[in-house]
């Protein structure tokens, strides 16, 4: 219960910050909408030429784009700002103040900053999925929706775990800007159904950076085409990533050397 | 080196036993070619930032950590606050091993570093206070009461509602202290809390720290470059140089030991220049003679006789008798420590000091 209260308090700080800079909030939200529209262009172009790509029809691929957009909102709104903040704190040495607080340090650093205007991406992503379902004309069962939500949660967990591990590298390397850019551009590949990737790329996107698990599996769940085996492997992957991230974090805190005199 | 027994930790607030912290750092020469070379073959060296120190501090004690930059003061404080894991040795703070970062331990301490801030830059300090209230789980009523006390003592009523970025350095420092004390810790680690502040603000902060110590019986560990801070706040000082303790005791005893002589400063009437022939015999030594000013250094026992002679023979306008300045006492201590090191290990040059071992990787 204590941590829930703390989370609310941290959210409150982010809301106060957003209110402090209202113009920034509005501009950010507008930019998000423009980017979502721009991201739809390649999909529209592709499906104007052919009716299906790697077994995915237009409205099915749109579901993947919808989840990609919503998860991007979660990543940019709830995961990346806080963890970029930590990199800055490591550089300046002010992570000291987080580490002397009587609460789990990973929890504190992970909840320290939210970019609230990214809610726009989450809402727009969900809207895309609803539009796609309406276009397909087949509404999923309650069980399929529940499974889809569970898989989306697992996807967010994997994104979070990858970011924590990138952050852990910052304890050693101090500057990880390029690594975070690299990850951001790799994540872009999750806008396409995983089936279009072949060979090595397919292997990497399933096991190393499990993009397939992130957006394609929830879409398949919603279309009631995801096997039980794949569901379990997705959940297991999320669990393994979360545990790895925790271990990496604890090891990093041990070797934290602080900065400044 | 004295090794304190384990039972001692029960009654002490802090016990350090042979505590050491060594860092491996990457080192390269200046310039592009050296930087390129270091991309492939990095040279590492081990720096003994803290090299086996032992001490015990009682609850309610105020102790000053003194030493030149890089002496190991901050590293010691960070080990006591649980931020750094000691390389060897042990430290017990409030009955806990700090590096374990047990929540009971973290509730008992606080850290204020003059060079680093915890206040949210874009929000008023009161929002950071509120966040800390939630983190330390301080009940509302108690929070109100503590905040009122801190606000009253630090006089921050009017500033704590303004965004931190609009505050002056002094106002911000006072708010930093308030944010660090909301949970009423029993142990204060203060790392250069008055750095960059003007004289009046330094005095305000000092008064506040002394007052907090008296009210709540909290132990205070302070590092500062301002001797006035240490002299005013800390009956006991621990002097660290090159990672080892070279003095632990009162400032008075240190001055007695190294500079036992008193300083007598005479100012003559404006028209009279100091007669170059005047001296006080072998009772004392004249260390300065300039214009209307004469400074004499002499043992405590003969001060009265010298004063009597001076008043008799010179047109005196004003006079003061004082101990040697603290900076000078410490300077003498560091010189002595450097000479001792040189004697022990003649290979080491006195100025590069830090014992290093270079390896290649």
């Amino acid at each position: 219960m204590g941590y829930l209260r703390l989370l609310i308090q941290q959210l409150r700080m982010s809301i106060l910050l957003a209110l402090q800079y209202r113009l920034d909030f509005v501009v950010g939200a507008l930019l998000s909408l423009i980017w979502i529209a721009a991201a739809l262009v390649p999909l529209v172009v592709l499906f104007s030429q052919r009716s299906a790509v790697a077994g995915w029809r237009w409205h099915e691929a749109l579901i993947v784009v919808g989840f990609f957009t919503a998860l991007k909102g979660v990543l940019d709104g709830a995961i990346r700002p806080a963890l970029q903040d930590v990199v800055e704190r490591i550089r300046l040495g002010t992570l000291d103040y987080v580490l002397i607080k009587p609460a789990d340090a990973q929890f504190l650093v992970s909840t320290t900053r939210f970019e609230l205007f990214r809610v726009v991406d989450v809402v727009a992503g969900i809207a895309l999925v609803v539009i796609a379902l309406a276009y397909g004309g087949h509404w999923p069962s309650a069980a399929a929706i529940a499974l889809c939500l569970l898989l989306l949660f697992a996807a967010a967990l994997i994104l979070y775990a990858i970011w924590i591990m990138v952050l852990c590298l910052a304890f050693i390397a101090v500057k990880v800007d390029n690594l975070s850019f690299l990850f951001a551009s790799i994540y872009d590949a999750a806008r396409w159904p995983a089936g279009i990737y072949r060979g090595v790329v397919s292997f990497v996107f399933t096991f190393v950076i499990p993009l397939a698990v992130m957006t394609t599996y929830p879409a398949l769940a919603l279309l009631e085409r995801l096997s039980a085996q794949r569901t379990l492997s997705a959940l297991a992957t999320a669990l393994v990533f979360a545990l790895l991230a925790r271990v990496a974090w604890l090891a990093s805190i041990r070797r934290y050397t602080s900065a400044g005199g | 080196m004295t090794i304190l027994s384990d039972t001692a930790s029960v009654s002490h607030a802090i016990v350090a036993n042979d505590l050491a912290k060594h860092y491996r750092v990457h080192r390269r020469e200046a310039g592009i070619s050296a930087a390129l070379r270091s991309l492939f073959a990095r040279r590492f060296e081990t720096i003994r930032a803290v090299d086996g120190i032992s001490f015990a501090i009682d609850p309610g004690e105020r102790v000053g950590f003194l030493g030149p930059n890089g002496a190991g003061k901050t590293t010691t404080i960070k080990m006591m606050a649980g931020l750094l894991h000691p390389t060897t040795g042990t430290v017990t703070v409030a009955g806990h091993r700090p590096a374990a970062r047990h929540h009971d331990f973290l509730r008992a301490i606080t850290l204020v570093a003059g060079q680093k801030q915890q206040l949210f830059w874009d929000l008023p300090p009161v929002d950071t206070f509120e966040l800390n209230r939630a983190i330390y789980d301080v009940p509302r009523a108690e929070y109100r009461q503590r905040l009122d006390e801190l606000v009253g003592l630090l006089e921050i009523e009017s500033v704590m509602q303004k965004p931190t970025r609009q505050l002056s350095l002094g106002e911000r420092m006072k708010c930093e202290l308030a944010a660090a004390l909301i949970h009423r810790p029993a142990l204060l680690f203060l790392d250069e809390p008055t750095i960059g502040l003007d004289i009046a603000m330094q005095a305000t902060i000092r008064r506040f720290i002394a007052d907090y110590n008296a009210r709540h019986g909290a132990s205070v560990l302070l590092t500062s470059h301002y001797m006035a801070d240490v002299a005013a706040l800390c009956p006991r000082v621990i002097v660290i140089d090159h990672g080892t303790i070279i003095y632990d005791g009162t400032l008075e005893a240190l001055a007695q030991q190294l500079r036992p002589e008193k300083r007598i400063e005479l100012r003559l009437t404006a028209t009279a220049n100091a007669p170059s022939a005047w001296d006080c015999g072998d009772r004392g030594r004249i260390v300065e003679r300039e214009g209307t000013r004469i400074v004499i250094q002499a043992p405590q026992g003969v001060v009265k006789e010298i004063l009597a002679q001076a008043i008799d023979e010179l047109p005196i306008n004003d006079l003061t008798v004082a101990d040697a300045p603290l900076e000078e006492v410490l300077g003498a201590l560091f010189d002595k420590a450097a000479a001792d090191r040189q004697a022990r290990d003649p290979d080491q040059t006195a100025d590069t000091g830090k014992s290093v071992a270079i390896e290649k990787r």
Side-chain angles (χ1 to χ4, degrees):
Chain A
M1 225 29 220
Y3 279 100
L4 184 64
R5 267 212 310 274
L6 206 48
L7 177 65
I8 292 168
Q9 188 62 39
Q10 297 265 60
L11 260 171
R12 180 180 164 272
M13 298 295 274
S14 290
I15 294 169
L16 288 172
L17 269 174
L19 292 176
Q20 193 86 244
Y21 298 106
R22 278 166 299 186
L23 181 66
D24 188 54
F25 184 92
V26 173
V27 172
L30 282 175
L31 269 176
S32 267
L33 284 175
I34 293 171
W35 278 115
I36 294 163
L40 284 174
V41 172
L43 194 74
V44 172
V45 170
L46 184 65
F47 280 95
S48 64
Q49 310 285 326
R50 45 207 291 190
S51 62
V53 177
W56 289 77
R57 284 176 294 167
W58 147 253
H59 72 275
E60 293 166 347
L62 191 59
I63 295 178
V64 176
V65 173
F67 286 147
F68 167 80
T69 308
L71 275 177
K72 195 167 160 55
V74 172
L75 176 66
D76 289 343
I79 298 174
R80 209 176 55 189
L83 300 187
Q84 259 168 2
D85 195 61
V86 183
V87 175
E88 189 63 9
R89 284 176 199 232
I90 291 172
R91 218 171 54 74
L92 297 174
T94 52
L95 189 66
D96 292 0
Y97 288 122
V98 177
L99 295 178
I100 62 160
K101 296 288 191 305
D104 185 76
Q106 188 183 345
F107 175 85
L108 281 182
V109 301
S110 304
T111 54
T112 188
R113 185 145 303 169
F114 297 92
E115 273 186 16
L116 297 165
F117 69 84
R118 300 290 182 180
V119 167
V120 171
D121 291 75
V122 179
V123 172
I126 294 169
L128 284 179
V129 173
V130 173
I131 290 167
L133 288 173
Y135 186 90
H138 174 74
W139 294 98
S141 66
I145 293 174
L147 183 60
C148 169
L149 289 176
L150 181 66
L151 285 166
L152 283 174
F153 175 75
L157 195 60
I158 292 170
L159 278 174
Y160 169 73
I162 290 176
W163 261 96
I164 286 282
M165 288 188 267
V166 169
L167 171 65
C168 289
L169 284 175
F171 280 92
I172 305 165
V174 181
K175 264 183 101 79
V176 289
D177 296 2
N178 288 328
L179 206 59
S180 57
F181 288 139
L182 176 72
F183 176 67
S185 38
I186 290 177
Y187 175 70
D188 239 27
R191 73 170 73 238
W192 301 103
I196 70 165
Y197 299 109
R198 298 262 175 257
V200 180
V201 179
S202 161
F203 177 84
V204 169
F205 286 172
T206 310
F207 297 104
V208 186
I209 303 170
L211 295 178
V213 176
M214 291 180 202
T215 53
T216 305
Y217 284 21
L220 285 173
L222 211 53
L223 295 167
E224 296 172 354
R225 294 206 310 239
L226 190 68
S227 67
Q229 189 202 343
R230 281 184 158 192
T231 306
L232 285 176
S233 74
L235 297 177
T237 305
L239 201 63
V240 168
F241 267 73
L243 286 175
L244 280 178
R246 182 66 181 173
V247 169
W249 168 263
L250 291 177
S252 300
I253 290 299
R254 266 197 72 91
R255 57 169 294 154
Y256 173 62
T257 51
S258 188
Chain B
M1 186 126 304
T2 47
I3 302 292
L4 299 147
S5 73
D6 277 351
T7 50
S9 63
V10 178
S11 54
H12 293 300
I14 301 175
V15 179
N17 260 331
D18 211 12
L19 190 63
K21 179 73 190 177
H22 300 172
Y23 293 110
R24 269 180 95 234
V25 296
H26 160 215
R27 187 189 183 93
R28 67 166 172 82
E29 314 293 312
I32 296 225
S33 66
L36 281 176
R37 263 202 312 280
S38 82
L39 275 178
F40 303 102
R42 291 206 156 188
R43 269 172 13 126
F44 285 91
E45 66 184 39
T46 302
I47 293 203
R48 299 168 193 278
V50 173
D51 204 12
I53 60 175
S54 303
F55 57 86
I57 290 167
D58 287 333
E61 236 191 316
R62 299 191 305 269
V63 180
F65 274 79
L66 292 175
N69 287 332
K73 308 181 296 278
T74 302
T75 302
T76 306
I77 285 211
K78 282 175 178 168
M79 283 194 280
M80 291 190 284
L83 292 169
L84 296 178
H85 289 240
T87 309
T88 56
T90 59
V91 59
T92 309
V93 179
H96 293 273
R97 186 174 67 87
R101 301 183 54 246
H102 194 282
H103 289 185
D104 288 344
F105 161 74
L106 295 172
R107 277 173 205 286
I109 65 154
T110 201
L111 170 75
V112 177
Q115 315 250 41
K116 299 173 183 177
Q117 63 163 30
Q118 71 161 324
L119 297 171
F120 276 64
W121 187 244
D122 292 310
L123 294 176
V126 69
D127 288 321
T128 306
F129 300 166
E130 182 65 31
L131 178 65
N132 282 357
R133 184 199 68 74
I135 292 175
Y136 288 101
D137 210 9
V138 181
R140 284 245 174 239
E142 224 164 293
Y143 168 71
R144 278 273 134 242
Q145 184 215 328
R146 287 180 195 177
L147 190 60
D148 284 348
E149 182 188 310
L150 290 168
V151 166
L153 288 171
L154 290 163
E155 297 166 3
I156 49 174
E157 178 91 66
S158 58
V159 298
M160 67 178 189
Q161 314 279 355
K162 288 195 256 176
T164 302
R165 68 186 139 80
Q166 289 173 9
L167 304 185
S168 73
L169 183 60
E171 291 168 340
R172 211 166 75 207
M173 206 54 226
K174 292 200 283 186
C175 291
E176 284 284 345
L177 275 169
L181 297 173
I182 289 288
H183 61 294
R184 193 158 288 173
L187 260 156
L188 276 55
F189 296 114
L190 309 175
D191 194 12
E192 310 261 3
T194 55
I195 200 157
L197 301 182
D198 63 47
I199 303 274
M201 190 58 78
Q202 283 177 29
T204 307
I205 301 273
R206 280 203 288 273
R207 257 200 314 280
F208 171 76
I209 295 168
D211 193 65
Y212 184 91
N213 163 264
R215 272 172 194 245
H216 305 299
S219 315
V220 177
L221 272 90
L222 172 86
T223 75
S224 178
H225 273 110
Y226 301 113
M227 288 302 152
D229 278 352
V230 180
L233 269 175
C234 304
R236 173 180 169 196
V237 297
I238 292 178
V239 185
I240 303 183
D241 191 22
H242 292 81
T244 57
I245 292 179
I246 55 174
Y247 179 78
D248 183 352
T250 64
L251 272 176
E252 291 76 42
L254 181 64
Q256 272 302 313
Q257 192 184 316
L258 291 167
R259 286 281 186 275
E261 299 187 319
K262 291 276 178 186
R263 291 268 157 119
I264 306 165
E265 184 179 336
L266 306 173
R267 285 193 176 275
L268 310 183
T269 48
T271 48
N273 264 347
S276 53
W278 189 86
D279 71 22
C280 48
D282 53 9
R283 284 192 297 252
R285 154 169 94 73
I286 294 181
V287 290
E288 244 185 281
R289 192 198 299 261
E290 190 198 333
T292 58
R293 190 164 159 269
I294 301 177
V295 182
I296 306 146
Q297 201 162 295
Q300 171 102 55
V302 297
V303 167
K304 246 166 123 177
E305 294 169 36
I306 294 175
L307 286 181
Q309 184 200 342
I311 289 168
D312 226 27
E313 297 173 3
L314 296 168
I316 288 171
N317 189 30
D318 192 13
L319 64 84
T320 52
V321 181
D323 288 318
L326 274 178
E327 283 81 359
E328 195 185 309
V329 174
L330 280 169
L333 181 63
F334 293 135
D335 289 347
K336 185 169 160 286
D340 288 350
R341 268 197 309 279
Q342 185 85 18
R344 271 201 314 275
D345 182 5
D347 292 341
Q348 201 176 50
T349 49
D351 55 344
T352 53
K354 277 188 181 160
S355 40
V356 295
I358 296 182
E359 56 181 292
K360 250 186 164 179
R361 193 174 79 175

